[in-house]
Amino acid sequence: TRPPEAAEPRLPVGVLLARLGQESMARFRRALKPLDLSAQHFIVLKQLQTIGAASQAVLADALGIDYSNLASVTAELSDRALIERYRHESDRRRYVVELSPKGAEVIAEADRAIAEGEEGMLSTLSEDDRERFH
């Protein structure tokens, strides 16, 4: 028998949270794969859904993404008709981007797929525990 002061060996909380993050991200990516979306594509589309039409510079700042990287992502999304990208009315050097109707449909599908993946992770929690966790 163990002495009473000896505790069960446990992994550090940071290790558990890191593993949870890995599992969550894996489920997130699996949910997006059938929609042919990367995590970065989803984040850009979701931000546009939230803020509406914005210049690429404003969008890049809101997301903390380098301007040139965002230009590449928005070009890909525009080629797939998930966003509309056009020149700014008063400053023809700037692009304005906004979610297209097709992009809104894809985001709705992605939200459903992501929610299903999250449900699998959270299924053992009560509603109260889920609310506290969120």
Side-chain angles (χ1 to χ4, degrees):
T1 64
R2 285 189 187 158
E5 68 277 352
E8 285 290 320
R10 291 181 159 191
L11 290 172
V13 170
V15 171
L16 296 173
L17 290 173
R19 180 65 191 110
L20 179 61
Q22 290 170 341
E23 178 62 24
S24 177
M25 194 56 151
R27 287 173 187 254
F28 177 68
R29 288 193 169 130
R30 279 194 304 271
L32 296 177
K33 188 172 179 115
L35 301 170
D36 195 26
L37 288 179
S38 70
Q40 194 167 40
H41 289 149
F42 175 80
I43 291 166
V44 168
L45 292 172
K46 198 67 177 173
Q47 186 69 27
L48 284 173
Q49 183 185 45
T50 302
I51 67 173
S55 72
Q56 285 188 170
V58 167
L59 182 59
D61 289 343
L63 294 170
I65 297 175
D66 181 79
Y67 295 167
S68 61
N69 290 345
L70 181 67
S72 298
V73 172
T74 56
E76 293 168 11
L77 294 170
S78 179
D79 289 346
R80 293 179 54 194
L82 299 177
I83 64 168
E84 296 174 6
R85 186 170 76 149
Y86 49 90
R87 295 286 180 181
H88 190 275
E89 287 178 12
S90 61
D91 184 352
R92 304 298 293 163
R93 297 169 296 169
R94 292 180 15 191
Y95 276 108
V96 174
V97 292
E98 64 182 299
L99 195 61
S100 71
K102 181 179 176 183
E105 290 174 17
V106 168
I107 280 294
E109 289 177 47
D111 285 342
R112 283 190 294 276
I114 291 165
E116 287 173 15
E118 288 180 350
E119 178 58 32
M121 275 187 8
L122 302 175
S123 63
T124 61
L125 298 178
S126 70
E127 286 302 316
D128 288 343
D129 286 342
R130 286 179 191 215
E131 189 58 36
R132 272 193 298 273
F133 183 69
H134 195 270

